[in-house]
Amino acid sequence: MKKLPHVSALKVLLNSKRILKNPLPFHYENFEKLGDTFRISILGEGKVLFSRDADFVKQVLLKKHRYNS
């Protein structure tokens, strides 16, 4: 997971008003910039993984369902 492209907690914080209003454009921009799978750091909450890669999602759901940092 550490090798995945990521969005910093600072970028999330700077865009928080926009994200709360409508998160989809923010995430779409990140998919376009970072690719089909990336992680977002959230202050006090850890990391969130985003993916629109069906094979990756299937792998996670079927085989890697335990959290490993």
Side-chain angles (χ1 to χ4, degrees):
M1 187 157 138
K2 292 181 181 188
K3 295 179 183 179
L4 290 174
H6 74 280
V7 178
S8 71
L10 178 59
K11 184 174 179 182
V12 172
L13 183 63
L14 292 173
N15 286 277
S16 60
K17 185 176 179 180
R18 185 176 146 218
I19 294 167
L20 289 172
K21 184 174 181 179
N22 183 359
L24 295 178
F26 178 77
H27 298 311
Y28 177 78
E29 290 166 10
N30 289 315
F31 278 120
E32 292 300 305
K33 181 180 177 185
L34 301 172
D36 288 339
T37 303
F38 61 91
R39 62 188 168 95
I40 290 182
S41 298
I42 301 175
L43 292 173
E45 299 296 324
K47 296 172 181 65
V48 178
L49 185 66
F50 284 80
S51 184
R52 62 181 180 188
D53 179 335
D55 290 331
F56 179 82
V57 173
K58 184 177 178 181
Q59 171 97 12
V60 169
L61 292 174
L62 294 176
K63 299 180 181 179
K64 307 271 186 191
H65 58 277
R66 299 177 109 179
Y67 176 76
N68 295 317
S69 57

